[in-house]
Amino acid sequence: MREDLASRVAVVSLNTRGVAPIGSRLAGRYAAIAMALDAGDADVACFQEVSTWWHLRLLARRMRSFRHMGFRPSLAGPAGGLVTFSRLPLSGTAYRGFGIPSGAPGISRAARWGARLKGALVTWLARPRLCVVNTHLAANRDGDWSPESRFYPLHRAQLAVLARVVCGIAAPAVVCGDFNVDRGSSLFGGFVRDTRLTDAFDGSCPATFRPEYLPPGATPNCIDFILTADGVTADAATVVFAGQEPLPGGPGYVSDHVGLRASLILPPS
């Protein structure tokens, strides 16, 4: 019986922000992202930093084969800037905000307010059975993920909330997004240990934040991930939107992040 066979689901994750809002060619970049995915074979696309309803419309009008969308509405746009597009039917969506940790010394008021807007979007596929967690953590402006970093308590608190979300999911699951936490940090190592998640790239993914958008001399890091829960395995993991794309006004990057793609093998239902 077909229901007894393992299923495959191809997942893409991308932070869509790109560059500064002014002069970023946002409409052209979003058109390039949407058209590439609509012409591709991914089943699910997890986007971060879809900040307003205008951003969402730019994507949706060119991703017509992705008939299903998961997000939680807020006044300005999707809560947390998180949207999950799917070609497969959905059975439900929930959002969990990270809140503001009580202990985060050294973080500015603006950074604390921005952290309050971050969270995790949980979307359930109806067929095949899979829970997709799309997340975005607060940015680390210093590029320092050591325990002495002023961002360490903030990220530790956000990862603790995310871990509770992940550990509370009974279905086969995948966790995607912009963690803003370096792959080699103790923060990331502790998170994957506590949640028993597995990196779809097996630690081989290149830096996902483009060096062109970093200060001179700064080191690019892998801060975006596709992580699978027990029972879900990944193969054919690769980066997407790695180079420049044709855009109005000339070639350019669609985002300051590189996108990720993985083909997931789900346990038999």
Side-chain angles (χ1 to χ4, degrees):
M1 295 288 291
R2 183 178 180 84
E3 291 76 13
D4 296 328
L5 300 178
S7 301
R8 283 182 176 266
V9 175
V11 176
V12 167
S13 180
L14 176 67
N15 182 319
T16 65
R17 178 177 179 272
V19 292
I22 304 301
S24 70
R25 299 189 283 178
L26 178 68
R29 292 190 295 104
Y30 268 40
I33 293 168
M35 289 188 294
L37 289 173
D38 201 53
D41 62 354
D43 301 297
V44 176
C46 296
F47 292 132
Q48 302 89 47
E49 293 211 60
V50 183
S51 303
T52 69
W53 296 119
W54 180 59
H55 287 72
L56 182 58
R57 285 194 296 271
L58 287 175
L59 292 169
R61 70 186 185 189
R62 288 183 171 88
M63 293 181 66
R64 296 187 178 181
S65 63
F66 290 78
R67 298 176 54 194
H68 312 279
M69 285 189 291
F71 60 88
R72 192 189 78 175
S74 72
L75 184 62
L82 299 171
V83 180
T84 298
F85 283 78
S86 178
R87 285 177 162 135
L88 304 170
L90 305 181
S91 61
T93 301
Y95 177 81
R96 173 71 183 273
F98 293 144
I100 302 178
S102 56
I107 301 297
S108 69
R109 182 176 297 180
R112 289 173 64 86
W113 177 259
R116 176 180 173 274
L117 303 177
K118 304 300 182 182
L121 176 72
V122 183
T123 304
W124 290 268
L125 303 187
R127 301 184 305 275
R129 185 168 171 262
L130 177 69
C131 182
V132 181
V133 181
N134 181 4
T135 192
H136 188 197
L137 276 64
N140 184 330
R141 305 297 181 186
D142 300 340
D144 176 10
W145 290 274
S146 70
E148 293 75 31
S149 166
R150 63 188 178 124
F151 287 95
Y152 188 92
L154 174 59
H155 280 144
R156 181 176 59 191
Q158 291 187 333
L159 287 171
V161 176
L162 181 59
R164 289 195 291 272
V165 171
V166 172
C167 292
I169 295 170
V174 59
V175 183
C176 308
D178 175 8
F179 281 61
N180 274 313
V181 173
D182 177 52
R183 178 177 58 206
S185 69
S186 60
L187 284 164
F188 182 73
F191 173 75
V192 294
R193 181 189 64 245
D194 294 344
T195 57
R196 300 175 61 188
L197 294 172
T198 300
D199 183 1
F201 287 76
D202 196 23
S204 65
C205 185
T208 57
F209 192 86
R210 300 186 191 278
E212 292 86 352
Y213 298 99
L214 289 170
T219 302
N221 299 89
C222 177
I223 58 175
D224 299 81
F225 302 99
I226 296 177
L227 309 172
T228 59
D230 286 347
V232 180
T233 57
D235 64 358
T238 186
V239 296
V240 293
F241 302 112
Q244 295 191 349
E245 303 286 338
L247 299 176
Y253 296 116
V254 298
S255 173
D256 54 6
H257 287 250
V258 171
L260 305 179
R261 181 192 186 281
S263 177
L264 309 180
I265 303 173
L266 311 185
S269 56

